[in-house]
Amino acid sequence: MIPEIGQFALIIALCLAIVQGIFPILGAQLNIRPWMAMARPVAQGQFIFIAISFACLVYSFVTDDYSVLYTASHSNSLLPVQYKVAGVWGGHEGSLLLWAMMLGLWTFLVTLFSKNLPDEMVARVIGVLGLIAVGFLLFLLLTSNPFERLLPAAPDGRDLNPLLQDFGLIIHPPMLYMGYVGFSVAFAFAIAALIGGRLDAAWARWSRPWTIIAWSFLAGGIGLGSWWAYYELGWGGWWFWDPVENASLMPWLVGTALIHSLAVTEKRGAFKRWTVLLAIIAFSLSLLGTFLVRSGVITSVHAFATDPERGTFILGFLILVVVGSLLLYAWRAPKIGEGGKFELVSKETMLLVNNVILAVMSAAVLLGTIYPMIIEGLASVGLIDAVNKVSVGAPYFNAIFVPLLVPLVFLVGMGPLARWKKADMPDMVRQLRWAFIASAIFAVVMPFLMGGWSWMAALGMVLAAWIVTTAIYSLRARFKATNAELPWGHRLNAIPRSFYGMHLAHIGVAVCIVGATMVSNYMSDKDVRMDIGDTVTVGGYTFRFDGVIETKGPNYTANRGLIRVLQDGREVMTMEPEKRVYTVQTMPMTEAAIDTGIWRDLYVSLGEPVSGGAWSVRVYHKPFVSWLWTGVILMVLGGVVAMSDKRYRVMARKEKKAKAEAKIATPKLATEKA
Amino acid sequence: MKLKFFLPLVIFVVMAGFMWKGLSLDPRSVPSPLVGKPAPQFELSQLHQAEQTISRDGNLGKVWILNVWASWCVSCRQEHPVFMQLSRTGEVPIYGLNYKDEREDAVKWLKDFGNPYTISAHDYKGRVGVDYGVYGVPESYVIDKQGVIRYKHTGPVSAQALRETILPLVRELKKG
Amino acid sequence: MKNILLAALLCLSFPLSYQVQAKEAEYTTGAPEIHGRVMGVSEELRCLVCQGQSLADSNSEFAVDMRAQIQEMMEGGMNDRQVVDFMVERYGDYVRYRPPFKATTMLLWFGPFILLGIGVAVLYTNILRRRKQVDETPLTEEQHRRAAELLKQDSGENKA
């Protein structure tokens, strides 16, 4: 019964989404007030029904209802309850339902926090979100129905993939999807602006908070995914340039460009067309990611079980959305004015060079990810020999990414200090000379402190130090510019939160760079065969193998290794890596033992038993690896802090002024273009 | 209508074309560089008669199929009936390359499920497999009279693949 | 009887075996110098049965076998370049983890930097063009007055 209710709720949600997608937009075009007013309630209704549907699926998991095919494929009665809930999004159909629910949630939030937007804009934004929802709900109902029945019901489920039976599954997908889907709001704002033919600084101010939160969620989601892979997969890798990882990185890079571009559009009314295009591209990349991951065109450990029918549907939907929005862009963009002018050396220019670099990074990731497919495609029509098929792995992406990162980080230091319209370069150089010198010294000293010279390590250090020193300088300069007569608490408060948020996020980048650089250049590991009592020394710690015992978990049996760790002859801790075999899927799985520290992680992974009671063991010393996740946390915090800037809350007042000025000034610019 | 604004659309359409084609391709396939080149020379002991050897040169002058298989390989059982049927017709000799298998296990497997192979070579260490670019089991090669590899099939051979691709090729090669 | 004898032998052998234990564990892939080279080359080759891992990172049977074979080849005297060429001869360019530098991969390697150049050039010309074209006219007295009036109107409405 409940699964049928779930399916029925989806159908109702689809109907509501269709209404939501059509009437408000038409209403805005034809100025029919009741149709525009429909937008909020219909959207809220749609969310409620998707939520009901989702709840029904959770119910079937939690009550072990194996007459539902999806539940039988991804759950098991022995599965701990938190994984039964998380298992709802452990497979294709369920995760798609999660996507749809996130979309409903974001739309719901838009209905709540859009009181000071003009009615036509609200109607159009909610309408576009409704059209997207129609696509996803159709996809669910036509090709990926999570409520499909399995008759006769299975006696027990096939169990959730052991790799997913982990805390990571509970948090990573929801956060990631909040990010992916969040960019649909920025997209909807862009489309609404194109349809309305009006794009101004006010539009940028409305879009900005939504874009920043989506960006923060996506950053958090990607960071969580990286951290999860690190401790779960057993060899301590944290980024593999896997197609699915790339699928999440691309919209994030473009999203970063979008945040910066929105700043230019908001402050100076410039580069509006570029900003709108970026918003379209960011969401398109989100959709593209969905396509890559669920269609079978790329291989990945993360890829969902595929089906040519599903792949075709998503591609069709992707083409519809992107071609539609790019056609709209091509048609309407010329009507949008150009905006202010500025010098070659100015804050605007620096922000736009930032955009170019981020866009190129994203394009490079895309190119590398689909290149094998391009070659195979060309070969299949005979243009080149099939043997030319290449695989594009980490070495390529690292080779492209790092050179692009250098100029980008350089700008991170300069940008905040530069003035709008015309920056005083000589003055900036003078202000930042100490930051530059300090960074250079740091870059030369650190590698030696870590154990040996490395050009890559020095590069990473100079980049990270540059960000931090320029941030300190900028914060200090800003503080000094506040009213010296006030107590310092008030002075700190006088500085807008978006300023703090910006530097916090930038420092987060620096922390990530330190983590990545150190762990890549100074990690040491040994892959050894250990008999009882054998020792191995890595990174200044001695690891002694004290045997393996058998243990049991709720739905698995395990061999647990006992590794005593000694430092300077003294025993400091015991690490217990496990090799588990899950009862249902009988897949062997490694649970590495990790000791996390500020300066290093110790990572021990149990391999295979070899002759004579010995085991192969891999021991790692990973310096600064926890800085990677810390950096991401700082970035997310930076976004949240920036978003809480009261300027966005006092939107109403400022925007009346902007509206008034815009009404007067715009007609002139519009006719200029024509 | 300013044309430069259509550029993003054009770029996307080109990409979409590749993605459409990509739906019908297999991203995991590794095209073999050995097709069109002489089959690597090998000399291994025979599976059923360990003292006797089998070599590639011994098959010069005829068209033959080399099938890489193992008793531990689950997919091999899937294609086995296809090869059994083929061996009954006698149209083309099938030689087996028993890959990283224990001799007794392999012999038993053939006894249990039938032996379509004229002779099976025992590649215990898998070195000959590497020479042939084997990375998974089963894989099959069509080799011509001059000892040149003409076709490689990765994965189990279905009746359809045999009928539509392999046998027509074999027939053509036999004529030449 | 046999069993008791066996058990007795085992008990006797224990103290002996204890002395031989507690040593520095040995590498699973041979001597340290070869081990370093094996891992180095393995990092440049792709594990063909895994999804996306190099031969160095993977623990699959295929990867373990391949590393063993690479070790054999190196112990037999082959240098790094020869080992990679050996693999590419048999498996094609696909087995290279880093895409090769060929005509068919020119776009891959140079594409991003060409794109960067184009992007910067477009930005540059756009900024210069904008300097000449867009003429920002500040609001006139009249427009300022109208704006102030509109604002007064709006805030009046709001207070209600």
Side-chain angles (χ1 to χ4, degrees):
Chain A
M1 248 302 278
I2 303 281
E4 272 66 40
I5 294 180
Q7 185 164 345
F8 194 57
L10 270 184
I11 297 176
I12 299 183
L14 173 64
C15 296
L16 287 173
I18 293 175
V19 171
Q20 181 190 334
I22 298 182
F23 285 91
I25 296 181
L26 279 180
Q29 285 301 102
L30 305 169
N31 208 358
I32 303 175
R33 302 243 125 229
W35 287 10
M36 284 197 271
M38 244 189 229
R40 286 199 178 91
V42 174
Q44 289 167 346
Q46 193 227 119
F47 172 57
I48 291 174
F49 279 98
I50 297 191
I52 291 175
S53 184
F54 191 78
C56 290
L57 191 59
V58 173
Y59 183 82
S60 83
F61 266 75
V62 170
T63 56
D64 294 331
D65 184 356
Y66 300 121
S67 66
V68 177
L69 180 61
Y70 182 71
T71 315
S73 315
H74 294 93
S75 184
N76 184 272
S77 47
L78 293 172
L79 194 61
V81 71
Q82 66 269 30
Y83 299 131
K84 283 186 183 169
V85 175
V88 170
W89 52 82
H92 166 74
E93 295 88 337
S95 65
L96 209 57
L97 186 57
L98 183 68
W99 230 100
M101 196 176 74
M102 294 288 175
L103 184 58
L105 180 61
W106 277 99
T107 314
F108 188 76
L109 291 172
V110 169
T111 61
L112 292 179
F113 294 106
S114 55
K115 294 292 160 31
N116 46 8
L117 291 170
D119 294 327
E120 317 83 57
M121 174 128 276
V122 173
R124 287 182 180 125
V125 168
I126 294 182
V128 170
L129 290 171
L131 289 174
I132 299 172
V134 168
F136 275 94
L137 288 166
L138 272 177
F139 186 45
L140 272 166
L141 286 166
L142 294 177
T143 73
S144 318
N145 188 354
F147 298 105
E148 197 176 312
R149 287 286 196 179
L150 174 67
L151 296 164
D156 207 337
R158 234 195 288 157
D159 204 14
L160 185 63
N161 185 334
L163 275 174
L164 297 177
Q165 289 184 31
D166 187 88
F167 179 66
L169 182 68
I170 299 177
I171 43 174
H172 162 65
M175 192 161 239
L176 191 71
Y177 286 11
M178 278 295 277
Y180 265 136
V181 180
F183 280 111
S184 66
V185 178
F187 174 78
F189 269 97
I191 298 293
L194 284 174
I195 295 177
R198 203 190 89 169
L199 193 64
D200 50 24
W203 169 83
R205 187 169 298 127
W206 299 323
S207 300
R208 218 167 157 196
W210 295 100
T211 313
I212 296 180
I213 323 181
W215 176 89
S216 301
F217 270 113
L218 192 54
I222 295 175
L224 278 171
S226 174
W227 176 64
W228 188 17
Y230 169 73
Y231 75 75
E232 178 73 13
L233 292 176
W235 64 83
W238 48 271
W239 190 260
F240 311 92
W241 296 107
D242 174 87
V244 171
E245 291 176 331
N246 295 346
S248 63
L249 186 63
M250 290 187 278
W252 185 77
L253 289 170
V254 172
T256 310
L258 181 59
I259 298 178
H260 291 84
S261 179
L262 275 169
V264 177
T265 304
E266 183 188 339
K267 294 274 173 34
R268 302 276 296 131
F271 275 80
K272 297 181 269 197
R273 296 182 295 220
W274 172 244
T275 304
V276 160
L277 185 61
L278 276 181
I280 294 177
I281 293 177
F283 184 60
S284 304
L285 286 171
S286 272
L287 287 181
L288 177 68
T290 311
F291 168 72
L292 287 177
V293 170
R294 294 167 197 267
S295 62
V297 293
I298 46 95
T299 48
S300 163
V301 286
H302 298 84
F304 291 99
T306 59
D307 192 323
E309 187 190 56
R310 290 173 181 169
T312 316
F313 190 104
I314 311 182
L315 184 58
F317 182 52
L318 175 68
I319 290 176
L320 199 64
V321 171
V322 179
V323 167
S325 44
L326 288 179
L327 266 177
L328 183 64
Y329 174 78
W331 173 40
R332 298 294 260 179
K335 294 195 171 58
I336 295 169
E338 274 244 315
K341 63 176 177 179
F342 43 86
E343 296 300 306
L344 270 177
V345 180
S346 63
K347 202 185 193 91
E348 291 94 324
T349 308
M350 293 189 191
L351 283 169
L352 290 163
V353 173
N354 149 307
N355 267 209
V356 171
I357 297 176
L358 283 165
V360 171
M361 279 178 165
S362 187
V365 173
L366 180 62
L367 187 62
T369 307
I370 62 175
Y371 208 74
M373 193 174 73
I374 293 179
I375 296 244
E376 250 201 304
L378 290 174
S380 70
V381 291
L383 282 169
I384 54 174
D385 207 356
V387 191
N388 283 304
K389 182 170 180 181
V390 290
S391 65
V392 182
Y396 169 77
F397 294 105
N398 290 328
I400 304 287
F401 216 69
V402 175
L404 287 175
L405 199 59
V406 176
L408 189 66
V409 168
F410 187 63
L411 284 174
V412 170
M414 312 261 283
L417 264 82
R419 290 210 188 93
W420 292 107
K421 250 181 136 168
K422 182 173 177 169
D424 189 346
M425 197 54 149
D427 186 55
M428 278 166 54
V429 171
R430 184 190 59 80
Q431 290 180 56
L432 293 175
R433 69 187 188 284
W434 288 116
F436 189 75
I437 294 172
S439 305
I441 294 176
F442 192 74
V444 170
V445 167
M446 280 309 286
F448 289 114
L449 282 179
M450 290 299 295
W453 177 254
S454 148
W455 283 104
M456 290 307 282
L459 180 63
M461 290 301 101
V462 80
L463 292 177
W466 174 247
I467 295 178
V468 175
T469 49
T470 53
I472 293 175
Y473 179 86
S474 172
L475 283 160
R476 205 161 150 263
R478 190 61 183 261
F479 182 76
K480 281 204 257 181
T482 57
N483 189 347
E485 288 173 23
L486 295 170
W488 60 261
H490 283 152
R491 293 179 76 181
L492 282 175
N493 219 21
I495 302 174
R497 290 204 196 157
S498 55
F499 190 76
Y500 289 119
M502 164 181 76
H503 283 301
L504 195 55
H506 288 168
I507 292 176
V509 174
V511 171
C512 274
I513 292 179
V514 170
T517 310
M518 292 304 195
V519 86
S520 308
N521 289 291
Y522 295 106
M523 177 185 92
S524 46
D525 73 289
K526 286 190 179 157
D527 187 0
V528 290
R529 172 214 149 94
M530 298 189 96
D531 291 296
I532 309 242
D534 277 359
T535 59
V536 66
T537 305
V538 175
Y541 294 85
T542 304
F543 299 82
R544 190 182 70 226
F545 182 60
D546 281 345
V548 162
I549 56 172
E550 279 188 26
T551 53
K552 249 178 176 301
N555 54 346
Y556 63 85
T557 57
N559 279 308
R560 184 182 301 169
L562 293 163
I563 312 264
R564 300 254 143 68
V565 184
L566 303 108
Q567 200 180 17
D568 303 320
R570 251 179 44 249
E571 206 174 287
V572 287
M573 72 185 100
T574 307
M575 296 181 75
E576 298 177 350
E578 283 182 15
K579 196 87 185 191
R580 293 183 186 170
V581 177
Y582 279 78
T583 329
V584 181
Q585 285 198 14
T586 66
M587 228 174 75
M589 229 193 59
T590 309
E591 278 286 318
I594 307 179
D595 180 62
T596 307
I598 304 181
W599 306 110
R600 93 288 175 274
D601 270 21
L602 295 176
Y603 194 105
V604 180
S605 153
L606 204 56
E608 298 296 323
V610 289
S611 56
W615 280 73
S616 68
V617 180
R618 209 154 172 182
V619 177
Y620 304 79
H621 174 259
K622 293 177 181 279
F624 288 92
V625 72
S626 51
W627 286 47
L628 281 165
W629 339 121
T630 313
V632 174
I633 293 175
L634 288 176
M635 280 194 247
V636 174
L637 274 177
V640 170
V641 168
M643 235 277 307
S644 67
D645 191 311
K646 62 182 186 290
R647 292 192 294 197
Y648 293 119
R649 282 183 258 140
V650 194
M651 262 198 264
R653 207 167 10 121
K654 293 225 172 138
E655 147 188 308
K656 282 195 190 149
K657 186 154 184 227
K659 262 202 225 176
E661 280 187 34
K663 263 193 230 159
I664 300 164
T666 319
K668 184 141 193 192
L669 288 169
T671 50
E672 252 189 71
K673 249 308 147 190
Chain B
M1 280 277 193
K2 270 213 161 143
L3 283 173
K4 71 174 178 186
F5 292 109
F6 281 92
L7 192 58
L9 181 63
V10 170
I11 296 175
F12 175 72
V13 169
V14 171
M15 245 178 42
F18 278 109
M19 292 193 286
W20 195 270
K21 190 79 192 78
L23 282 175
S24 53
L25 298 170
D26 177 12
R28 276 202 240 188
S29 73
V30 182
S32 174
L34 296 171
V35 173
K37 298 221 180 81
Q41 170 63 292
F42 67 87
E43 193 161 332
L44 291 169
S45 76
Q46 294 187 18
L47 186 67
H48 285 97
Q49 291 171 290
E51 341 73 63
Q52 299 225 12
T53 59
I54 169 169
S55 71
R56 179 212 67 174
D57 287 340
N59 279 338
L60 284 174
K62 60 182 169 205
V63 178
W64 54 292
I65 292 180
L66 180 69
N67 173 246
V68 183
W69 65 279
S71 64
W72 46 261
C73 154
V74 179
S75 327
C76 298
R77 268 193 244 174
Q78 227 181 304
E79 67 170 5
H80 200 69
V82 175
F83 281 114
M84 288 303 293
Q85 174 67 5
L86 181 62
S87 73
R88 277 190 276 264
T89 69
E91 189 164 350
V92 57
I94 314 166
Y95 286 79
L97 184 71
N98 180 242
Y99 185 71
K100 292 202 212 157
D101 214 350
E102 294 291 343
R103 198 182 285 272
E104 315 89 62
D105 294 333
V107 170
K108 182 170 187 303
W109 194 87
L110 289 179
K111 193 147 158 274
D112 290 339
F113 298 108
N115 184 359
Y117 307 112
T118 312
I119 300 177
S120 266
H122 187 216
D123 185 12
Y124 186 62
K125 282 184 130 192
R127 297 291 184 258
V128 173
V130 172
D131 274 340
Y132 275 77
V134 171
Y135 61 93
V137 189
E139 290 180 7
S140 309
Y141 299 80
V142 175
I143 302 175
D144 71 10
K145 296 179 184 171
Q146 287 80 32
V148 173
I149 296 179
R150 287 315 194 114
Y151 180 70
K152 175 178 175 182
H153 183 103
T154 22
V157 170
S158 63
Q160 185 187 14
L162 186 68
R163 190 180 56 234
E164 291 177 6
T165 317
I166 298 180
L167 281 179
L169 176 64
V170 165
R171 285 168 196 145
E172 204 191 298
L173 291 173
K174 276 173 132 177
K175 281 186 243 161
Chain C
M1 192 46 191
K2 215 171 165 196
N3 288 343
I4 301 175
L5 220 55
L6 201 59
L9 277 169
L10 277 169
C11 290
L12 285 173
S13 66
F14 250 60
L16 285 169
S17 57
Y18 236 92
Q19 281 171 350
V20 198
Q21 281 165 2
K23 62 187 187 311
E24 177 77 22
E26 44 182 59
Y27 285 119
T28 45
T29 10
E33 327 85 59
I34 298 266
H35 172 83
R37 282 177 58 208
V38 169
M39 295 314 272
V41 166
S42 302
E43 264 158 33
E44 290 291 317
L45 295 172
R46 174 176 289 268
C47 165
L48 292 171
V49 299
C50 329
Q51 286 131 319
Q53 282 180 280
S54 67
L55 278 186
D57 289 332
S58 169
N59 287 319
S60 68
E61 227 185 280
F62 176 82
V64 170
D65 272 345
M66 280 294 165
R67 288 201 295 263
Q69 180 157 12
I70 291 175
Q71 187 189 330
E72 247 181 59
M73 289 196 277
M74 288 183 166
E75 283 167 355
M78 283 175 85
N79 68 30
D80 292 0
R81 177 90 189 276
Q82 288 169 321
V83 172
V84 174
D85 285 344
F86 179 90
M87 291 298 177
V88 173
E89 249 172 54
R90 285 150 183 77
Y91 292 99
D93 278 324
Y94 194 81
V95 77
R96 279 192 217 260
Y97 204 48
R98 178 192 306 263
F101 227 57
K102 294 161 72 169
T104 46
T105 57
M106 283 294 119
L107 178 64
L108 182 67
W109 284 108
F110 289 120
F113 298 108
I114 295 175
L115 203 58
L116 183 67
I118 294 176
V120 171
V122 166
L123 183 62
Y124 185 77
T125 46
N126 186 297
I127 295 175
L128 287 183
R129 180 173 50 83
R130 166 190 295 268
R131 270 207 291 197
K132 294 175 201 138
Q133 237 181 33
V134 176
D135 196 21
E136 257 176 13
T137 38
L139 296 177
T140 64
E141 277 296 323
E142 169 68 30
Q143 289 170 326
H144 265 300
R145 203 183 46 78
R146 272 177 60 200
E149 255 183 53
L150 280 163
L151 278 170
K152 257 194 280 174
Q153 257 180 29
D154 279 345
S155 53
E157 274 168 21
N158 212 30
K159 289 227 177 89

